[in-house]
C-alpha cells in the first residue's frame, strides 16, 4: 500500500516531539532517515525527538541524534519492556550510560505505566522501572517522557511519591479535561497525537481545549496513531499538519500562532534549541 499523500505545509515550523523512526509497521519498512526528515521538513515539521524504548532502540536513537542535526533523542525502557528483562539493574545501567552519552540526548523516556498490555503480575516491575527513570531524569536534568495507558491515577501516584522532574511530558495524552488539569497542576506538558482527530475522541478534544497554549505539544508516535483521514495506515512525521490543523480548530486558535507556540514549547520542554 502506498503511503498517505503529504498534507498542505504548515505556516510555521513545529517539532514532532515523539517519533520512532527505526520501527517498521507490519511488513512496511521504515523510511530511510534522510527521506523521513526531508518529507517532514517539506511540510514544516523541521525537528523530531527520536524515542528509543528498549536497549536496541535507545542505542539507535543516540546514534541517530548524534548524526542528524534535526534530531534529539530520548532513551528508556518502555513499561511493557521492563517486565520482560532478565535484569532491570543491568538494563538501567545501560540506559543511564546512554542518557549521559551525548548532549543531544534530551529525554528519559518513554517510561511510565501500561495497564493495557502488561498483566497484573508485571506491574510491580513497571512501577520500579518508572521510579528509577524518574530518578535518572532528575539526576541528569533530562526531560521525563511518560507513557500512560489505562493507568492515570497510578501514574500520578508514582510521580507524587517520587517528585516530578523540572520538565516532564505526558506523551500521547489520553485523558479527559479533568485529568488534564491534574497533570497541568503538577507542571506537565501535554502532547497530543493523531488520536485527537479520531471521531470517538471528544473527551480528548475537551482536554486539548483546556490546556494553556504554553503547555501544548504535538507528536506522531509514528509509525502508530495515524491521524484522520488516514487512520490505520502507517504514520510519519510529515502527517503532523493534519493533527495541528485539527488542534487549532478545536482550540479556536490561529494556526500559525499555535504552531509558533508549539515550536517554542517543545524547545522549553526538551531543554533548548537544536538543529
Amino acid at each position: 500500500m502506498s503511503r498517505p499523500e503529504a498534507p498542505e505545509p504548515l505556516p510555521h515550523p513545529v517539532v514532532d516531539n515523539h517519533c520512532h523512526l527505526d520501527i517498521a509497521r507490519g511488513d512496511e519498512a521504515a523510511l530511510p532517515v534522510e527521506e523521513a526528515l526531508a518529507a517532514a521538513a517539506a511540510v514544516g515539521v523541521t525537528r523530531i525527538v527520536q524515542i528509543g524504548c528498549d536497549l536496541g532502540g535507545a542505542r539507535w536513537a543516540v546514534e541517530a541524534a548524534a548524526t542528524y542535526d534535526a534530531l534529539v533523542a530520548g532513551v528508556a525502557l518502555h513499561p511493557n519492556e521492563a517486565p520482560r528483562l532478565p535484569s532491570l539493574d543491568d538494563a538501567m545501567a545501560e540506559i543511564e550510560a546512554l542518557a549521559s552519552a551525548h548532549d543531544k540526548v534530551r529525554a528519559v523516556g518513554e517510561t511510565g505505566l501500561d495497564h493495557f498490555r502488561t498483566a497484573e503480575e508485571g506491574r510491580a516491575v513497571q512501577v520500579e522501572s518508572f521510579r528509577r527513570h524518574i530518578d535518572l531524569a532528575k539526576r541528569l536534568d533530562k526531560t521525563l517522557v511518560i507513557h500512560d495507558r489505562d493507568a492515570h491515577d497510578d501514574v500520578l501516584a508514582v510521580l507524587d511519591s517520587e517528585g516530578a522532574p523540572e520538565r516532564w511530558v505526558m506523551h500521547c495524552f489520553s485523558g479527559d479535561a479533568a485529568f488534564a488539569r491534574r497533570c497541568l497542576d503538577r507542571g506537565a506538558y501535554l502532547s497530543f497525537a493523531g488520536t485527537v482527530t479520531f471521531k470517538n475522541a471528544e473527551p480528548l478534544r475537551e482536554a486539548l481545549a483546556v490546556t494553556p497554549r504554553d503547555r501544548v505539544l504535538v507528536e506522531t508516535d509514528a509509525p502508530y496513531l495515524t491521524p484522520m483521514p488516514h487512520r490505520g495506515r502507517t504514520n510519519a512525521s510529515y502527517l503532523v499538519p493534519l493533527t495541528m490543523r485539527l488542534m487549532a480548530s478545536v482550540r479556536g486558535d490561529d494556526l500559525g500562532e499555535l504552531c509558533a507556540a508549539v515550536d517554542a514549547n517543545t524547545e522549553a520542554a526538551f531543554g533548548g534549541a537544536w538543529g
Side-chain angles (χ1 to χ4, degrees), residues 45-63:
V45 183
T46 55
R47 294 177 292 171
I48 295 170
V49 181
Q50 167 65 23
I51 299 293
C53 47
D54 58 21
L55 291 177
R59 296 174 196 129
W60 193 96
V62 174
E63 182 177 351

Side-chain angles (χ1 to χ4, degrees), residues 62-204:
V62 174
E63 182 177 351
T67 303
Y68 298 99
D69 289 343
L71 298 182
V72 295
V75 298
L77 306 171
H78 191 283
N80 291 327
E81 174 73 5
R84 297 194 288 257
L85 294 166
S87 171
L88 182 61
D89 289 343
D90 291 348
M92 283 301 307
E94 182 168 355
I95 290 296
E96 180 163 355
L98 289 166
S100 307
H102 198 285
D103 61 5
K104 289 188 75 181
V105 182
R106 298 291 185 88
V108 171
E110 61 188 280
T111 181
L113 302 176
D114 189 313
H115 291 177
F116 180 77
R117 294 197 181 279
T118 293
E120 186 69 37
E121 61 269 19
R123 291 180 186 172
V125 178
Q126 280 195 352
V127 170
E128 177 62 19
S129 176
F130 188 21
R131 291 184 188 278
R132 293 192 187 194
H133 283 86
I134 294 170
D135 173 69
L136 182 61
K138 291 194 290 189
R139 285 192 289 108
L140 299 183
D141 189 28
K142 305 290 185 180
T143 303
L144 183 71
V145 177
I146 295 178
H147 171 106
D148 162 28
R149 189 163 187 186
D150 297 348
H152 298 338
D153 291 342
D154 289 342
V155 163
L156 293 187
V158 174
L159 272 174
D160 289 346
S161 173
E162 297 298 309
E166 180 179 350
R167 302 177 307 279
W168 61 285
V169 175
M170 288 296 283
H171 143 62
C172 188
F173 184 79
S174 59
D176 59 13
F179 184 62
R181 292 187 181 98
R182 293 171 67 195
C183 295
L184 292 163
D185 286 347
R186 291 164 169 82
Y189 290 88
L190 305 187
S191 179
F192 294 87
T195 45
V196 77
T197 72
F198 295 175
K199 291 181 180 179
N200 63 349
E202 191 57 35
L204 187 53

Side-chain angles (χ1 to χ4, degrees), residues 244-260:
M244 281 300 310
R245 286 189 164 85
L246 183 282
M247 289 169 63
S249 175
V250 166
R251 294 174 55 85
D253 285 343
D254 174 80
L255 178 60
E257 291 177 0
L258 183 60
C259 288

